[in-house]
Amino acid sequence: MSRSARRITATVLASGALLAAAALPATADGRGHGHGHDRPAQRSAVVLGKVQYDSPGRDNGSNRSLNAEWVTVTNTSRHAVNLRGWTLSDESRRTYRFDLRLPARSSVRVHTGVGRDTRHDVYQDRRNYVWDNRDTATLRDNRGNKVDSKSWGRNQHGGHRGHR
């Protein structure tokens, strides 16, 4: 395909994408207005991934056990994202504030206990468990806008960890 044909094709595709985006309803997420910070403004490239909410083995409160409880935050884009000021919180509003730049197409694991932050692992430096058997992890940007959330244990029957 010639260079001018590629340009024309790219222009037509870009125009079509803009028209399609403009045609979408303002409440495409199925929720009405008035939710404030709880309604994501747009789909983010930063998402919550796997969650290990129940530390394997005995819940003895040791730092090792606390650090076996974690949430993964993933940047799916081709560009680094500055997470400084972003927060990760549970339903009880226990909140971790990020101070890092997440490289393109990479993840960081947010551990509950104490440790030394690296590119792939950061630590909340807590002495108690955060993530309950029935909980929600919520990721917010530096303006307090909800970026993503992940819930678990809602349809399960059974016990709730007693130490929480």
Side-chain angles (χ1 to χ4, degrees), residues 26-47:
T27 57
D29 64 357
R31 290 183 257 163
H33 297 288
H35 288 282
H37 292 305
D38 286 339
R39 187 168 42 97
Q42 62 186 24
R43 182 171 291 268
S44 173
V46 180
V47 296

Side-chain angles (χ1 to χ4, degrees), residues 8 92 105 134-135 153:
I8 291 171
S92 297
R105 295 190 172 122
R134 292 186 181 123
D135 212 339

Side-chain angles (χ1 to χ4, degrees), residues 95-120:
T95 302
Y96 171 76
R97 186 170 302 277
F98 289 90
D99 187 18
L100 66 94
R101 189 168 184 81
L102 189 58
R105 295 190 172 122
S106 68
S107 296
V108 64
R109 195 175 273 185
V110 182
H111 299 272
T112 298
V114 176
R116 179 177 222 142
D117 292 351
T118 68
R119 284 182 21 179
H120 302 288

Side-chain angles (χ1 to χ4, degrees), residues 7-34:
R7 283 186 186 158
I8 291 171
T9 302
T11 302
V12 169
L13 290 173
S15 299
L18 287 173
L19 287 172
L24 289 175
T27 57
D29 64 357
R31 290 183 257 163
H33 297 288

Side-chain angles (χ1 to χ4, degrees), residues 3 21 43 48-49 67 77 82 89 94 101 103 111 137 140 143 146 156:
R3 178 181 277 178
R43 182 171 291 268
L48 295 174
N67 281 332
S77 79
N82 186 358
S89 58
R94 290 173 282 209
R101 189 168 184 81
H111 299 272
R140 294 184 184 275
R143 293 183 174 164
K146 183 176 173 182
Q156 297 175 354

